[in-house]
Amino acid sequence: MTEEDVNTPPGRSRQAEDRLPAHEVRTALLELLAEVGTVTATEAAARLGHSSGLCSFHLRQLARHGLIEEAPHTGGRARPWRLRQEAPEAGAPSAEEFDDLARGLEDESWRRWLGQRELAPAAWRHDEAFSAVAYLTPEEMSGVAAAVRQALAPYQHREQRPLARPEGARPVALITRLFPLLPDQPGDQGRRG
C-alpha cells in the first residue's frame, strides 16, 4: 500500500484534473522553498511557527501533486525538500502554471509585507521598491537580466550556507520582472509619447 492509497478517499482516484486546493501552510511552504532552496519539515516548522508534523504532512501533499520533490541528501532521518527540478508528472502544473503560481506567491508576499511592516524591527521597516521604463532591444533586456543576476551572485551562497550569513542578515525577497509593454493601440508598435 502506498501513501497515495492511504491519503486518497475511497472511491476516488488521483486524476490529472485533481488540483491541490490553496492552503495557508502550503503557500507558506512554497514561499519558504523559493526563498531558501531546500528545507526539512523541522526547519520549516521552526521558520513558520507550525508543528513539524503539520509541515511534514503539507510537504508530502505538495510532493504528491508534483510541486516539490525530495532533495538529494546524505541519509539520516532528515528529509529535505525542494521545488521540483525535473519534468513534472502528468497532472502536475505546467511550467506556465508554476510561473503563475510563483508570481502569485511573490504578490502575496508583497501584500503581506505592506500589511505587516510595522511589526518588523525598526531597521527593517523600509523597502527598496522601484520601477522604471527603458527602451531596450530583446538582447539588451536579456543583458539587463544578466546584470541583475550577476549583482546578486555574491550573496547566493548564503542561501545554502547559513554560517556565511553576516550577523543581522535576514531573507529579503528580490523580485525582478522584465517584460515588454504592449502598445496602447494596435499598430502602435511600442512607440509611446
Side-chain angles (χ1 to χ4, degrees), residues 20-53:
L20 186 62
H23 189 280
E24 175 184 332
V25 174
R26 287 192 290 267
T27 299
L29 287 166
L30 287 170
E31 288 177 353
L32 181 60
L33 285 166
E35 175 188 314
V36 301
T38 62
V39 70
T40 65
T42 302
E43 292 167 339
R47 294 280 299 266
L48 301 176
H50 299 295
S51 73
S52 60

Side-chain angles (χ1 to χ4, degrees), residues 157-159 161-167 169:
H157 71 285
R158 294 178 182 177
E159 183 176 320
R161 296 182 50 222
L163 295 177
R165 299 172 191 162
E167 187 171 332

Side-chain angles (χ1 to χ4, degrees), residues 103 132-150 176-182:
R103 283 187 204 91
V133 173
Y135 286 80
L136 305 171
T137 66
E139 294 78 17
E140 289 171 327
M141 187 170 82
S142 294
V144 169
V148 170
R149 286 185 193 95
Q150 185 176 1
T176 303
R177 296 177 182 167
L178 302 172
F179 56 93
L181 296 174
L182 298 175

Side-chain angles (χ1 to χ4, degrees), residues 44 74 81 89 112 135 162 165 176 190:
T74 58
W81 298 93
E89 63 187 52
R112 186 178 320 122
Y135 286 80
R165 299 172 191 162
T176 303

Side-chain angles (χ1 to χ4, degrees), residues 115-136:
Q116 298 180 355
R117 83 170 98 194
E118 70 279 354
L119 302 175
W124 285 99
R125 288 187 189 151
H126 72 284
D127 55 62
E128 298 292 338
F130 67 91
S131 65
V133 173
Y135 286 80
L136 305 171

Side-chain angles (χ1 to χ4, degrees), residues 39-118:
V39 70
T40 65
T42 302
E43 292 167 339
R47 294 280 299 266
L48 301 176
H50 299 295
S51 73
S52 60
L54 180 67
C55 289
S56 177
F57 171 79
H58 286 293
L59 285 164
R60 290 190 315 271
Q61 294 297 309
L62 290 166
R64 280 184 56 223
H65 284 79
L67 295 171
I68 67 171
E69 63 187 4
E70 272 194 75
H73 60 288
T74 58
R77 294 191 62 199
R79 189 176 184 184
W81 298 93
R82 67 181 181 190
L83 294 175
R84 189 158 183 99
Q85 302 292 309
E86 53 197 52
E89 63 187 52
S94 67
E96 185 175 304
E97 290 170 321
F98 190 81
D99 287 346
D100 289 344
L101 175 63
R103 283 187 204 91
L105 291 172
E106 291 166 359
D107 293 341
E108 184 178 322
S109 294
W110 174 248
R111 285 190 298 274
R112 186 178 320 122
W113 160 249
L114 291 176
Q116 298 180 355
R117 83 170 98 194
E118 70 279 354

